Amino acid sequence: MTAFYRRSALYAAFFSPSQEIRDSINRLVRRNLGRRARRVLDPACGPGLWLAHFVKEGAEVYGCDLEESAITGAAARLPTRGARVVIGDMRRPPDELGTDFDCAINLDNSVGHLADYVDVVTHFASIRQRLTKRGIYMIGLAIREADDVIPSGVVFERGPVDIEGGGFAALRTESLGIQKTTRCERIRQITITANVPDTPPVIAEQYDLLTFTFAMLKDILLASGGFEVLGCHDATDESLPPKAFRKGAGDVVLVLRARDPAPARAGATRRSTNGSTAKKRPKTLRKAALKKGLNRA
Ligand SMILES: C[S@@+](CC[C@H](N)C(=O)[O-])C[C@H]1O[C@@H](n2cnc3c(N)ncnc32)[C@H](O)[C@@H]1O
């Protein structure tokens, strides 16, 4: 994982959610849940910035992250009652976090950090199992088609800003565009710090984020047990305006709800040559393709 994520104070200084995006997220929750969230899960919670937001909204919050230092930062930010954060993998958030969440949130394309599309299916399936029947999953990801081009260039630049705990820092993030073979977006990032405790003066790193073609994303949602798309919103605008859920939609926040398992239909079985019967597979479910062809090179 990136060295930047290991430094909670740095991450929080640059990425604390603005009032505008908090209001937008609250609006999506109320619209799709009909009320405030009561039990919230962030499966890649970092230093717990979104969990802290939902604490203010009156929810119990739960989260995990691969980075021990991020969890230390989140635990320091969150109250001891009504909040629980542990080290864990978003592919299968630890069982100790429980189930019956009416809201899960995973913004900023954190799911793009997973190694391949099979991991993404595992992730969606485990979130699905942890949601209540009407629960929602708000997830940020990038829908890009094979021939989409992202112009290389600066996508985020800020600072110097003061860092909690001392010192100051500036951050610059560039996109190097989509890598042809892997279809990942390559990100290059430089953080310059001064007098920030236990932090080198320069952190320079590069990482790749998974992107999803529209067809692939629909297959993934189906393969993970089925999700209904309640809303699709433009993640590049903090007011999160609606955006068509379609090919090449770009950086979006999706609001998902688990679909009920399809009821078994008469005639939904087929007879094999040896006379036994088997359930029909949905035509669009291309598990083999997900396993074989769509992994990163
Ligand atoms: C963009 S940050 C998201 C922070 C957080 N959601 C918030 O409220 O600010 C991405 C986070 O994903 C974490 N991460 C990456 N891969 C992970 C995985 N497989 N399981 C859990 N966390 C992961 C990183 O350590 C990092 O903290």
Side-chain angles (χ1 to χ4, degrees):
M1 203 38 58
T2 80
F4 181 73
Y5 288 150
R6 273 183 223 120
R7 295 187 160 75
S8 294
L10 279 187
Y11 185 87
F14 291 106
F15 293 115
S16 283
S18 68
Q19 192 56 51
E20 183 177 17
I21 194 156
R22 287 165 193 260
D23 292 344
S24 306
I25 288 292
N26 286 348
R27 204 175 52 244
L28 294 187
V29 171
R30 276 195 301 273
R31 184 181 304 154
N32 293 290
L33 208 55
R35 55 169 171 74
R36 290 179 180 207
R38 294 182 186 138
R39 241 175 97 74
V40 177
L41 172 69
D42 183 340
C45 68
L49 303 176
W50 276 107
L51 293 181
H53 166 76
F54 279 103
V55 167
K56 283 197 186 136
E57 293 300 306
E60 278 180 19
V61 300
Y62 298 81
C64 66
D65 198 283
L66 278 186
E67 287 295 343
E68 185 176 357
S69 53
I71 291 303
T72 307
R77 175 168 282 102
L78 297 169
T80 42
R81 287 186 58 165
R84 177 133 202 231
V85 284
V86 296
I87 298 168
D89 195 319
M90 74 170 113
R91 285 177 296 179
R92 287 196 184 83
D95 289 344
E96 63 194 285
L97 295 177
T99 57
D100 291 333
F101 295 100
D102 57 4
C103 178
I105 184 163
N106 194 5
L107 302 182
D108 301 319
N109 205 0
S110 302
V111 74
H113 285 295
L114 290 175
D116 58 46
Y117 298 99
V118 176
D119 281 356
V120 179
V121 172
T122 307
H123 165 73
F124 274 112
S126 61
I127 296 296
R128 194 177 179 283
Q129 285 165 0
R130 285 161 176 76
L131 289 175
T132 58
K133 193 169 158 47
R134 306 283 300 160
I136 56 170
Y137 186 23
M138 294 183 289
I139 180 160
L141 47 77
I143 303 176
R144 310 222 182 262
E145 303 312 309
D147 47 2
D148 279 1
V149 177
I150 311 180
S152 309
V154 177
V155 289
F156 184 90
E157 193 165 29
R158 204 172 149 213
V161 297
D162 289 332
I163 305 300
E164 201 184 317
F168 59 93
L171 174 69
R172 181 186 167 110
T173 310
E174 284 180 10
S175 172
L176 301 188
I178 302 273
Q179 303 303 294
K180 273 219 165 86
T181 46
T182 61
R183 300 203 53 270
C184 289
E185 180 176 5
R186 181 154 292 170
I187 302 292
R188 189 175 276 179
Q189 181 163 292
I190 296 193
T191 317
I192 299 176
T193 77
N195 308 326
V196 179
D198 305 322
T199 305
V202 177
I203 304 172
E205 51 199 345
Q206 181 171 293
Y207 56 91
D208 288 353
L209 292 174
L210 291 174
T211 68
F212 303 84
T213 67
F214 186 59
M216 189 193 287
L217 180 60
K218 286 199 297 186
D219 278 354
I220 286 171
L221 295 178
L222 191 58
S224 54
F227 279 97
E228 185 183 351
V229 180
L230 302 178
C232 177
H233 300 268
D234 183 356
T236 65
D237 178 338
E238 296 206 335
S239 68
L240 298 180
K243 192 163 196 189
F245 180 55
R246 58 162 170 74
K247 284 184 178 180
D251 289 303
V252 293
V253 173
L254 299 179
V255 185
L256 305 174
R257 176 176 287 148
R259 265 188 208 289
D260 285 337
R265 281 181 295 115
T269 54
R270 62 188 156 79
R271 194 160 288 281
S272 74
T273 45
N274 67 7
S276 65
T277 56
K279 282 230 168 86
K280 261 189 188 169
R281 275 170 183 269
K283 273 187 191 148
T284 51
L285 179 54
R286 296 190 293 258
K287 254 192 178 161
L290 288 169
K291 277 213 167 113
K292 207 170 130 201
L294 302 178
N295 290 347
R296 286 185 197 188

